[in-house]
Amino acid sequence: MKKDKILVIGACGQIGVELTLALRKMYGDTNVVASDLREEHELLKGSGPYVSLDVMNKEMLHVLVIRHNITQIYLLAAILSATGEKNPLLAWHINMQSLLNVLDIAKEEGLDKIYWPSSIAVFGQTSPKVDTPQHTVIEPTTIYGISKFAGERWCEYYNHRYGIDVRSLRYPGLISYKSAPGGGTTDYAIEIFHDALESKAYNCFLKEDTYLPMMYMPDAIRATIELMEAPKDHIKVRSSYNLGAMSFSPKEIGAEIGKHVPGFTMRYEPDYRQQIADSWPGSIDDELARNDWGWKHEYDLEKMTVDMIKNLKQ
Ligand code: NAD
């Protein structure tokens, strides 16, 4: 067992629950402190320490870090893309200030490592749509994307200026069955499984031919841990790494689910989220992640669909 002491902020969210459980397996239950604004998630109960925390309260966060001898922070608290468009100033405020609070405490306390996720939402209409490269035109149009891009610049700045070992991934849309998604544009790819199994029908909020980069949660958790465990000198990108696994449209995932759910039908009623999806890449070039620290995805659309359906039926 390692001596590190980890704080996960936003531990009750879609990624946080699974990441906290995975980290507890690696580092020991008591060495991973879970925290969130919300009540403790059912799946976390009894698995290790839980603290109620508003990451916007810097003093409270600072005291928590000192009291628990924290050496690493995983900051997952954020306002996601679709929710962010409903209240842009709030999304900007929370997404930026939470990161600045964490980076600054990392600097003051000399923490070992910080993890903070960015998103494919940093890319906008002017970025190449297919196999979007790591370094390209970046002009996000959603407030979520703007805040993620600014956050990436802050991460790199704190690394270059103060030597903070901050690491980051630009997650694609993440698909999981354990905890509910938090208001993103790719949430359709989770809802579709639930509706297919409950009613054999799904009304999709995106058009049938909208391609987006996606990843199954076990791959995302493994990528996060592998990035954080990689030797320091392998991490060449200090803003945020492009990360990819698969790319599909609503029509394609619908057809894949139809192989397991006879009679499954889909309708399409695009809403405001179509515009967000249209501004994002269809697929991602993650060559640097593959070269620098050995990223390799395991799940494609077919394998993920089989696993999602098997687990949701249980
Ligand atoms: P989520 O919305 O499911 O979870 C976020 C958690 O943060 C929630 O449990 C919420 O209660 C908590 N939180 C919000 N404000 C807080 C505050 N002030 N103090 C403490 N906790 C607070 O989000 P997620 O899907 O788990 O995403 C985690 C991170 O990954 C975010 O930075 C998100 O932008 C990024 N990301 C997610 C996806 C995805 O598909 N899920 C894709 C790209 C990037």
Side-chain angles (χ1 to χ4, degrees), residues 11-13 17 35-42 44-45 50-52:
C12 297
V17 170
S35 72
D36 203 293
L37 265 185
R38 301 193 217 177
E39 240 179 71
E40 187 174 13
H41 194 283
E42 279 304 314
L44 293 182
K45 281 186 182 162
Y50 183 78
V51 179
S52 178

Side-chain angles (χ1 to χ4, degrees), residues 8-14 16-18 20-21 24 29-30 32-53 178-180:
V8 182
I9 303 172
C12 297
Q14 192 200 355
V17 170
E18 298 200 36
T20 302
L21 293 173
R24 282 181 174 161
D29 292 347
T30 54
V32 180
V33 180
S35 72
D36 203 293
L37 265 185
R38 301 193 217 177
E39 240 179 71
E40 187 174 13
H41 194 283
E42 279 304 314
L43 292 174
L44 293 182
K45 281 186 182 162
S47 75
Y50 183 78
V51 179
S52 178
L53 171 79
K178 285 190 186 160
S179 45

Side-chain angles (χ1 to χ4, degrees), residues 67-212:
R67 189 176 291 157
H68 288 267
N69 296 314
I70 297 298
T71 61
Q72 297 185 25
I73 297 180
Y74 286 68
L75 170 59
L76 304 171
I79 303 284
L80 304 200
S81 59
T83 313
E85 290 311 295
K86 292 182 186 155
N87 196 340
L89 289 182
L90 181 75
W92 170 259
H93 181 54
I94 290 184
N95 293 357
M96 289 291 61
Q97 200 54 50
S98 57
L99 177 61
L100 292 174
N101 286 352
V102 167
L103 288 175
D104 219 46
I105 288 171
K107 177 177 140 234
E108 283 175 43
E109 296 304 323
L111 301 189
D112 289 345
K113 278 184 222 171
I114 301 296
Y115 178 75
W116 171 84
S118 182
S119 160
I120 53 121
V122 294
F123 299 113
Q125 298 281 9
T126 49
S127 310
K129 280 258 168 226
V130 179
D131 291 339
T132 310
Q134 176 76 38
H135 300 292
T136 184
V137 176
I138 296 192
E139 294 181 326
T141 49
T142 61
I143 195 61
Y144 177 67
I146 295 170
S147 69
K148 288 294 185 190
F149 185 46
E152 289 186 3
R153 304 322 304 153
W154 275 111
C155 288
E156 195 183 270
Y157 184 84
Y158 265 75
N159 175 262
H160 289 180
R161 177 92 200 261
Y162 305 115
I164 306 294
D165 188 357
V166 50
R167 306 182 183 196
S168 176
L169 297 171
R170 288 174 178 156
Y171 289 134
L174 301 181
I175 298 159
S176 63
Y177 59 87
K178 285 190 186 160
S179 45
T185 304
T186 51
D187 289 3
Y188 93 83
I190 300 172
E191 289 174 8
I192 191 172
F193 283 100
H194 290 272
D195 287 17
L197 293 176
E198 273 160 31
S199 58
K200 290 185 181 246
Y202 180 60
N203 191 7
C204 187
F205 59 75
L206 297 181
K207 289 186 205 158
E208 63 174 19
D209 57 352
T210 310
Y211 280 84
L212 288 169

